[in-house]
Amino acid sequence: MTKKIIIAIDGYSSTGKSTVARQLAKALGYIYVDTGAMYRAVTLYAMEQGFVGPSHFDQEALENCLSLINIRFEVSKETGFAEVVLNNTNVEKKIRTLEVSRLVSPVAAVSKVRRKLVEQQQLMGKDRGIVMDGRDIGTVVFPNAELKLFMTATAKDRAERRYKELLDRGEDVTYEDVLKNVVNRDHIDSTRKDSPLRKAEDAVMIDNSNLTLVEQFDQILEIAKGAINKA
Ligand code: DC
């Protein structure tokens, strides 16, 4: 039997990490975990409790409630994809709005939030056979992952993709707002003190600005097969 490995995918926002991670997990028969969804779920909880909004963030109130936040994934019967469940409510749609995207980076910068989610992510990977995407997977969550990828693309390309996605979902947004959010999140995610977004030294860099989804997937699947054979 071939050995199961851990595949860590990090990179800037809207680089298509989750698309490729999901495709890869399906092709290899691995579990896929979208860690951004977990940070988004904590952010939604903080919004619903009134702890965070456009002009305020009561970090201490959120820290004091962390033990009340339960996040898990459940596979949707309709799509076959894992969806995020916050305290027994499926919040998959609610966490993808631009409103959550605007507030998630400050929440994800809180060390106590990170500690809680990283612990849960490490448990999810204990049997290997997992593809996990996020910002700190190759650097903090699984520094010993057999394969690490770091995805990037120009901010313009990324904002265009995200803008189309949000329009398709019926959100009323402008391209300028989406671009501003992408640039702003990159800045906060890469300059925060705890676990800033950075490429692990041993990560393979994938710039997909000029790659189609099919080209990108073929390239990454080859890399993954190589890593599995080597393991
Ligand atoms: O992947 P995403 O855009 O859904 O992630 C949302 C935010 O969560 C992102 O701006 C930074 C944060 N995040 C993080 O800090 N660490 C991770 N492992 C995943 C996401």
Side-chain angles (χ1 to χ4, degrees):
M1 213 181 77
T2 48
K3 196 178 157 202
K4 292 206 172 218
I5 65 167
I6 292 181
I7 301 178
I9 305 185
D10 290 303
Y12 293 99
S13 57
S14 307
T15 41
K17 297 184 297 293
S18 55
T19 305
V20 82
R22 196 178 278 140
Q23 289 174 323
L24 204 51
K26 193 169 172 213
L28 299 171
Y30 280 19
I31 289 168
Y32 163 56
V33 178
D34 171 0
T35 63
M38 300 170 76
Y39 288 93
R40 286 172 180 271
V42 173
T43 305
L44 182 68
Y45 176 89
M47 284 162 65
E48 288 177 345
Q49 300 298 317
F51 298 157
V52 69
S55 52
H56 73 283
F57 179 21
D58 188 343
Q59 182 177 327
E60 205 181 321
L62 174 62
E63 287 175 347
N64 289 336
C65 286
L66 282 180
S67 62
L68 304 177
I69 303 178
N70 180 276
I71 294 168
R72 59 182 173 83
F73 289 92
E74 73 182 6
V75 177
S76 153
K77 285 199 189 90
E78 277 162 44
T79 63
F81 295 140
E83 298 190 336
V84 70
V85 176
L86 167 66
N87 291 344
N88 287 325
T89 303
N90 184 314
V91 292
E92 183 62 30
K93 282 213 176 72
K94 276 192 172 174
I95 60 163
R96 306 289 169 191
T97 61
L98 188 57
E99 200 188 352
V100 172
S101 298
R102 283 203 186 102
L103 300 173
V104 64
S105 285
V107 170
V110 177
S111 292
K112 285 186 181 165
V113 170
R114 302 204 67 81
R115 223 176 299 146
K116 174 185 169 86
L117 298 188
V118 167
E119 206 173 285
Q120 192 177 346
Q121 290 152 10
Q122 288 171 334
L123 270 178
M124 289 170 170
K126 70 177 182 356
D127 297 327
R128 311 192 102 69
I130 197 164
V131 183
M132 194 174 272
D133 81 331
R135 303 291 189 289
D136 59 342
I137 312 304
T139 50
V140 176
V141 182
F142 296 119
N144 297 322
E146 289 84 352
L147 175 60
K148 299 178 187 177
L149 302 172
F150 190 88
M151 300 195 31
T152 182
T154 65
K156 191 173 146 284
D157 280 315
R158 293 185 283 128
E160 269 166 19
R161 279 181 215 153
R162 182 52 66 109
Y163 176 56
K164 282 194 195 121
E165 247 173 62
L166 290 169
L167 285 189
D168 283 348
R169 269 196 234 124
E171 274 219 49
D172 182 19
V173 290
T174 65
Y175 169 75
E176 286 67 34
D177 276 350
V178 176
L179 178 64
K180 217 195 282 173
N181 175 252
V182 161
V183 172
N184 193 35
R185 273 206 288 153
D186 287 351
H187 176 71
I188 302 180
D189 295 345
S190 9
T191 54
R192 67 180 175 220
K193 275 208 188 75
D194 190 340
S195 323
L197 167 65
R198 61 176 178 81
K199 178 184 165 300
E201 264 174 33
D202 50 350
V204 180
M205 177 83 98
I206 310 273
D207 183 335
N208 64 19
S209 304
N210 297 309
L211 290 180
T212 66
L213 277 181
V214 174
E215 286 166 346
Q216 164 176 276
F217 179 62
D218 289 348
Q219 189 178 329
I220 291 178
L221 185 61
E222 278 317 299
I223 298 173
K225 284 181 180 163
I228 292 169
N229 284 337
K230 232 173 73 187

